[in-house]
Amino acid sequence: MPSRYYFNLTDDDEVIRDEEGIEVPDLRTALIHAFEAIEELRKEDASPMSEWQGWSLEVVDSSGNVVHRLPLDGAAPNKNSRH
């Protein structure tokens, strides 16, 4: 049964909420989408990575629970790694 996940950007003071989310079969698929979203953000935004210092992308389930957090100021995530 598919579940809806949301991808919020946050620096712990400010939150940019994903109001739409995506429906995927499992958390692993949601994380793959999160990695792809970070890659796309890095390609589209020419800002230096220092501007993302302290920011992360939160993967939030339909109950509002943060199930995974990916920092934006670190190295590009490896979407093939196992978490």
Side-chain angles (χ1 to χ4, degrees):
M1 179 173 187
S3 297
R4 185 163 293 276
Y5 290 90
Y6 302 86
F7 305 121
N8 298 333
L9 294 171
T10 184
D11 68 353
D12 290 327
D13 292 324
E14 183 179 349
V15 178
I16 302 170
R17 295 197 185 282
D18 172 9
E19 300 293 334
E20 186 176 324
I22 61 165
E23 238 180 62
V24 292
D26 53 31
L27 176 58
R28 182 179 185 285
T29 305
L31 290 174
I32 290 170
H33 283 278
F35 293 142
E36 290 170 349
I38 290 172
E39 287 175 14
E40 189 66 28
L41 182 64
R42 288 180 172 161
K43 286 179 188 175
E44 289 179 0
D45 189 348
S47 301
M49 287 312 295
S50 63
E51 289 191 23
W52 289 111
Q53 187 69 36
W55 283 83
S56 59
L57 183 131
E58 293 179 334
V59 179
V60 180
D61 67 14
S62 59
S63 299
N65 298 312
V66 176
V67 294
H68 204 80
R69 180 179 272 214
L70 302 166
L72 297 181
D73 55 3
N78 179 353
K79 65 181 173 186
N80 297 318
S81 69
R82 295 178 186 235
H83 290 273

